[in-house]
Amino acid sequence: MQPSSSSNQPPSRNPKPEKPGPWPPRIEPFVPRTDHNPTELKSWAKRTGFNPNSGDISRTFHDQPTTSAAPTSKPDDQAAKGPERERPNRVSFNPARLGRRLRERWEESTGVGKSVGFSDASEDLERGLDRAPLPDRAVHPHPDRVEIEPAGGGERRRNGGPARENGNHVRGDGDGGMKKELDGVDLHGKGVEREMDSGVLSDSQWEVEGEEPGETEVYRPGGLKCGVTENPGWVPLILYGVQHYLSMAGSLVFIPLIMVPAMGGSDKDTATVISTMLLITGISTILHTFFGTRLPLVQGSSFAYLAPALVIINSDEFRNLSQNKFKHIMRELQGAVIIGSIFQTILGYSGLMSLLVRLINPVVVAPTVAVIGLAFFSYGFPQAGSCIEISVPLIVLVLLFTLYMRRISLFGNRLFLVYAIPLSVGIVWAYAFFLTAGGAYNYKGCNSNIPSSNILLDSCRRKVETMRRCRTDVSNAWNTADWVRIPYPFQWGPPTFHFKTGIIMVFASLVASVDSVGSYHATALLVNLRPPTHGIVSRGIGLEGVTSIIAGLWGTGLGSSTLTENVLTVSTTKMASRRALQFGAILLILFSFFGKIGALLASVPLALAAAVLCFTWALVVALGLSTLRYTQTASSRNVIIVGFTLFISLSVPAFFQGYSPNTSLILPSYLIPYSAASSGPVHTSISGLNYTLNALLSINVVVAFLVAFILDNTVPGTKQERGVYIWSDLRRPDIDPASLEPYKLPQKICCWFRCLKCLG
């Protein structure tokens, strides 16, 4: 065999050979040029390819020329031996040590250091490798297909083409171009090959060589069990589809247990509203997975609409109604929800959301979502505390399952963490049944079927309230509900439209949109997708407006939005398949046709439901504040904005709620905070304007959104400080269409959106 060409060249006679430069090469800081328009320059991050989001250092370092010598050629018989073949640029390293070493060299060469967030890259690398260690086999990042190189060596071929070119693995893409898989570094002592396409490293999934030739395995960063576009199979599809909705039972079921009694509805009405919510949740989720952002997110009745709905429910005009009070209030809520949903639909599909989303950053989302849960502190434990013998054990069980037993895995799943709420409710509900059957709530001379207004003795009145909140046989929903009943539009009558209530729901739809924007970005990062573009976000918000219109027509009393708790469910279950969500949504639709299922859920004791909501609202607060991890949390700017927003959003509504002293004689104490709309301090010559302003300023989440939005967009701050870098893709996804593939609409639907270029 002929020797390599490099061996025929005479040695260099230069007495002073050129010294190799520092590694990594020095990258000069960005200096504005004055010879042309500065607005045409790209930012330093885009020019160098540095992306602080994913900790990707491939574009910064791997695409630079290296000083390592070219590999020497070997005889064909030796090259054919797989285990003995050499790989160029092979380096064995400790991942944690590599992250720190690269960070130090980066800081020394550029002088930038932590100001660009590179210090987090090594931490992300360490966390990612610790969370999902790589197998002891060769791994290849691959954006859209899975290919393997035979473990026994030889050539890897695709479409009959050659598999190697000048020592690098070569793969032909569908457009006739070539993508080279450059040898990288050694993780855990094994070979890793990084596939490069124009210097961009794909972060969607990893290709794993099997132990046997022809074996294919997939490793996904973050430990995902199933990707967004993958089909896990029929058995996992059923299991994951059911668990996704059971883990959010508190949001899907227990909202009507708060609203319907406050509206004067019967137990049968509560069962009907629950069945209707199950139907709308299923329909909205299926529509979102096809026409919205297409992320694995459940759509349903959101807590963002609950406080505005309670404000409308407790208006003066509805307090003195004696006949058909429930239907009158429900029709008013339907009209208000439809008005707010039309505004949200126009906001999304007109492209205005693409402009507004540029002003909605993590510093705005975090306190707004957190206050959605904090707003119900006056309702949570005051209701649960009315029957502490079942509410306290339930709260203890939920904390035990979610905190102390969260790492226990059965059949490969963390059952206690995923099913914490349904397991706790089932155990405590059975416990409450035995208490009821044992006579724990039998009080002599007191009957829970008698209205409280007809009971003369105060002691008996308090005991009757305890019986209604604790006993499991108080509700007559099971006896009155039909076995089969299909919810239909206008089942409560035609909606009524008023400007003052419609404006309240317009602001509620804005808050729900902010909540959804945060959920979109958080879920995209969890499932290893690039952040959705502004057009994709607009498309999702527009569809949420459409599904909220459907909710208004069917009469759920609330609009439909992305459920914030879904982010924790995806993070816990590691299941991101859209098909699993679609299958679970179909089951919800089928369940909604059986009235007895809604009646069974409506029979949950009120104190037990309030205890579940205490945990659910606390979870919403935590998920909202966790959005700050995308920002510089130590920044005094962010600390002051978030802290002031949280405080003022609780204090200002308390001021407005103090102007309704007469309502304490009519309404229960836990509903007084939602009665300021009719008796607030704002007094003008226009009664409708008085109602609207008093109502909006008495709603905590509206105040939080307005304050955070104004402060974050007026107080100066860097993009990285505000979290803009994390929520915007610095790697130009528009030049890599494959990275946005999971967001694309189905081919048959794209033609309907061609005229709407702003919707991605």
Side-chain angles (χ1 to χ4, degrees), residues 567-624:
V567 178
L568 180 64
T569 303
V570 174
S571 176
T572 302
T573 61
K574 304 298 182 183
M575 172 53 58
S577 174
R578 284 196 295 250
R579 295 193 179 185
L581 259 70
Q582 293 166 357
F583 182 83
I586 293 175
L587 291 181
L588 286 186
I589 295 175
L590 294 178
F591 291 159
S592 67
F593 297 158
F594 298 95
K596 292 297 184 180
I597 294 180
L600 179 65
L601 298 174
S603 302
V604 175
L606 185 59
L608 191 149
V612 172
L613 291 174
C614 285
F615 175 80
T616 305
W617 287 327
L619 184 61
V620 172
V621 175
L623 291 173

Side-chain angles (χ1 to χ4, degrees), residues 188-224:
H188 300 288
K190 299 297 178 181
V192 175
E193 298 179 2
R194 295 182 176 268
E195 182 177 12
M196 311 286 289
D197 182 11
S198 302
V200 180
L201 177 63
S202 174
D203 57 355
S204 58
Q205 65 184 33
W206 299 77
E207 166 193 300
V208 180
E209 291 184 357
E211 296 179 352
E212 300 295 336
E215 181 182 355
T216 300
E217 297 181 22
V218 175
Y219 167 77
R220 302 175 186 85
L224 286 178

Side-chain angles (χ1 to χ4, degrees), residues 115-416:
S115 63
V116 294
F118 187 79
S119 59
D120 295 333
S122 61
E123 298 174 5
D124 292 341
L125 177 62
E126 295 175 40
R127 286 197 299 267
L129 293 174
D130 292 340
R131 181 172 59 251
L134 292 173
D136 295 336
R137 279 164 283 173
V139 181
H140 311 277
H142 201 291
D144 53 357
R145 289 178 294 275
V146 176
E147 301 175 5
I148 67 165
E149 180 178 343
E155 294 184 347
R156 176 173 61 178
R157 296 181 178 272
R158 182 178 182 272
N159 298 331
R164 289 182 178 270
E165 181 183 58
N166 299 331
N168 293 328
H169 298 287
V170 179
R171 177 175 59 81
D173 57 19
D175 299 329
M178 304 301 292
K179 294 184 179 180
K180 296 184 178 182
E181 299 176 13
L182 303 179
D183 289 350
V185 290
D186 191 345
L187 295 180
H188 300 288
K190 299 297 178 181
V192 175
E193 298 179 2
R194 295 182 176 268
E195 182 177 12
M196 311 286 289
D197 182 11
S198 302
V200 180
L201 177 63
S202 174
D203 57 355
S204 58
Q205 65 184 33
W206 299 77
E207 166 193 300
V208 180
E209 291 184 357
E211 296 179 352
E212 300 295 336
E215 181 182 355
T216 300
E217 297 181 22
V218 175
Y219 167 77
R220 302 175 186 85
L224 286 178
K225 297 179 180 178
C226 188
V228 176
T229 59
E230 296 179 14
N231 184 5
W234 281 106
V235 175
L237 191 70
I238 297 174
L239 296 178
Y240 292 136
V242 172
Q243 78 172 10
H244 216 89
Y245 294 89
L246 283 179
S247 62
M248 294 181 292
S251 303
L252 298 176
V253 175
F254 295 135
I255 290 181
L257 297 179
I258 298 176
M259 289 181 52
V260 176
M263 298 165 64
S266 61
D267 295 332
K268 183 179 180 180
D269 295 331
T270 303
T272 303
V273 173
I274 290 177
S275 298
T276 306
M277 283 190 173
L278 294 179
L279 174 65
I280 299 303
T281 298
I283 294 176
S284 302
T285 302
I286 291 176
L287 290 177
H288 188 82
T289 56
F290 281 103
F291 305 101
T293 63
R294 310 204 70 194
L295 288 168
L297 293 171
V298 175
Q299 308 290 307
S301 299
S302 173
F303 290 120
Y305 290 94
L306 181 56
L310 290 175
V311 169
I312 297 175
I313 290 171
N314 292 283
S315 301
D316 280 341
E317 55 189 292
F318 300 121
R319 293 175 189 170
N320 298 325
L321 291 178
S322 57
Q323 295 182 352
N324 297 325
K325 178 180 179 180
F326 170 77
K327 289 187 176 180
H328 280 291
I329 298 178
M330 179 60 77
R331 291 165 59 189
E332 184 71 30
L333 289 176
Q334 287 182 259
V337 168
I338 291 175
I339 293 175
S341 303
I342 292 175
F343 169 81
Q344 189 178 23
T345 304
I346 296 174
L347 182 67
Y349 286 133
S350 66
L352 294 177
M353 193 64 193
S354 298
L355 303 177
L356 182 62
V357 76
R358 303 173 192 271
L359 306 177
I360 300 176
N361 299 310
V363 180
V364 179
V365 174
T368 302
V369 177
V371 172
I372 291 177
L374 288 175
F376 300 103
F377 73 95
S378 62
Y379 181 92
F381 199 78
Q383 281 286 80
S386 62
C387 190
I388 59 175
E389 54 268 22
I390 64 174
S391 60
V392 172
L394 187 140
I395 294 175
V396 171
L397 272 180
V398 172
L399 295 178
L400 180 67
F401 291 154
T402 56
L403 296 178
Y404 298 97
M405 302 176 65
R406 70 184 188 277
R407 298 188 183 276
I408 298 178
S409 179
L410 298 177
F411 308 105
N413 295 312
R414 296 183 178 181
L415 298 181
F416 294 104

Side-chain angles (χ1 to χ4, degrees), residues 619-637:
L619 184 61
V620 172
V621 175
L623 291 173
L625 294 179
S626 67
T627 310
L628 292 174
R629 69 184 183 273
Y630 305 123
T631 69
Q632 290 183 346
T633 54
S635 169
S636 60
R637 172 191 181 275

Side-chain angles (χ1 to χ4, degrees), residues 443-447 450-468:
Y443 300 105
K444 186 177 180 180
C446 299
N447 189 350
I450 300 176
S452 299
S453 58
N454 296 338
I455 300 177
L456 301 179
L457 298 177
D458 293 337
S459 59
C460 189
R461 186 181 295 112
R462 289 192 298 268
K463 292 178 181 178
V464 167
E465 291 299 323
T466 301
M467 295 170 65
R468 291 174 178 172

